[in-house]
Amino acid sequence: LFNIGAREIERNRFAEGTATLNEYERGAPPAAVQARQPQIAALRERIRTRSGVVLVPMQLEGLRVQIEGSGDVRIVREGPEAAQGIRVPIGHYRVQVSATGYRPRESEIDVPSGAEVRVDQPLEAATASLTIRANVEAAEVKIDGRTVGHTPLPAQASSEGSHRIEVVRPGYTTFSTTVTARGTLGVVEAALQWAPSISATEGARVMLDRSYH
């Protein structure tokens, strides 16, 4: 493991090299570790003087950090690991940060020796527009169980992603569907039908209500 870690560090793969050295120190015989202490110290000093840390302090669902630099440097971290400090060789990098429900953000940074560079500009929530139309007026419209109005209804702002749509009016069958909102592409055409069974009293009330809308 020591030789593997040393090779990783020589290739400027500092995160992998550090992890391998740590594993070597935990698992190798204490005498062997003690004998290699000067070499281990030299490798850690190389890491310290030739690298910095990129920190993305965000606690977001689906967090993903991708770091790309010159040569073959490409580091991807996801989940809780992405919010921890990511050690990289000194240099210039392009960092892309993304998370569930947010628009990806890309920035360019310089990482000097021994520095901690924070990439903490808040992500912008990904919003979309849902257009919901129905063949009857005064129908109650619900998005994810929340009433947003009655038809006819202007376009509704929502987060990007999947949403449950319900369109309800007494005397008609309930319309429900799931739609994926992306930009302005979320459109729902609700076709409500007369309920198959309705009392005379309810039918009269519905007809009267319909006449005044």
Side-chain angles (χ1 to χ4, degrees):
L1 282 177
F2 173 82
N3 291 332
I4 294 173
R7 282 197 297 271
E8 293 284 15
I9 293 168
E10 289 294 331
R11 295 169 57 198
N12 287 338
R13 295 171 59 88
F14 296 133
E16 295 83 351
T18 298
T20 304
L21 281 185
N22 292 341
E23 186 177 354
Y24 169 76
E25 289 185 297
R26 287 193 300 266
V33 174
Q34 183 61 36
R36 288 191 180 273
Q37 275 306 310
Q39 294 166 284
I40 293 173
L43 289 170
R44 293 194 184 281
E45 179 64 12
R46 176 188 176 100
I47 293 172
R48 189 187 68 79
T49 58
R50 300 193 183 185
S51 69
V53 172
V54 178
L55 183 62
V56 184
M58 299 181 185
Q59 302 299 323
L60 299 174
E61 180 183 354
L63 180 64
R64 183 179 190 273
V65 177
Q66 179 173 305
I67 303 173
E68 295 183 347
S70 58
D72 61 349
V73 176
R74 184 177 186 274
I75 301 172
V76 177
R77 296 287 186 271
E78 297 181 339
E81 188 180 20
Q84 300 173 6
I86 303 171
R87 187 166 292 279
V88 298
I90 57 177
H92 185 79
Y93 293 93
R94 183 170 62 253
V95 181
Q96 185 182 79
V97 181
S98 60
T100 304
Y102 295 85
R103 299 192 186 281
R105 182 182 297 279
E106 189 171 285
S107 58
E108 295 195 7
I109 60 172
D110 290 305
V111 179
S113 174
E116 179 181 275
V117 181
R118 296 172 65 92
V119 180
D120 55 5
Q121 187 174 2
L123 298 183
E124 178 185 352
T127 57
S129 175
L130 280 172
T131 300
I132 304 168
R133 295 189 283 261
N135 60 329
V136 296
E137 295 184 354
E140 181 183 9
V141 178
K142 298 180 180 180
I143 300 177
D144 297 328
R146 180 177 61 88
T147 299
V148 297
H150 295 76
T151 57
L153 193 68
Q156 300 293 302
S158 70
S159 61
E160 287 193 343
S162 180
H163 296 280
R164 186 69 177 171
I165 308 299
E166 291 181 274
V167 183
V168 182
R169 178 168 171 174
Y172 293 84
T173 57
T174 296
F175 174 90
S176 63
T177 188
T178 299
V179 63
T180 299
R182 288 286 184 274
T184 59
L185 301 180
V187 178
V188 175
E189 298 282 355
L192 278 67
Q193 306 294 328
W194 276 104
S197 177
I198 185 171
S199 67
T201 301
E202 180 67 9
R205 190 187 71 77
V206 170
M207 289 300 294
L208 182 62
D209 182 52
R210 188 179 184 186
S211 299
Y212 283 92
H213 285 85

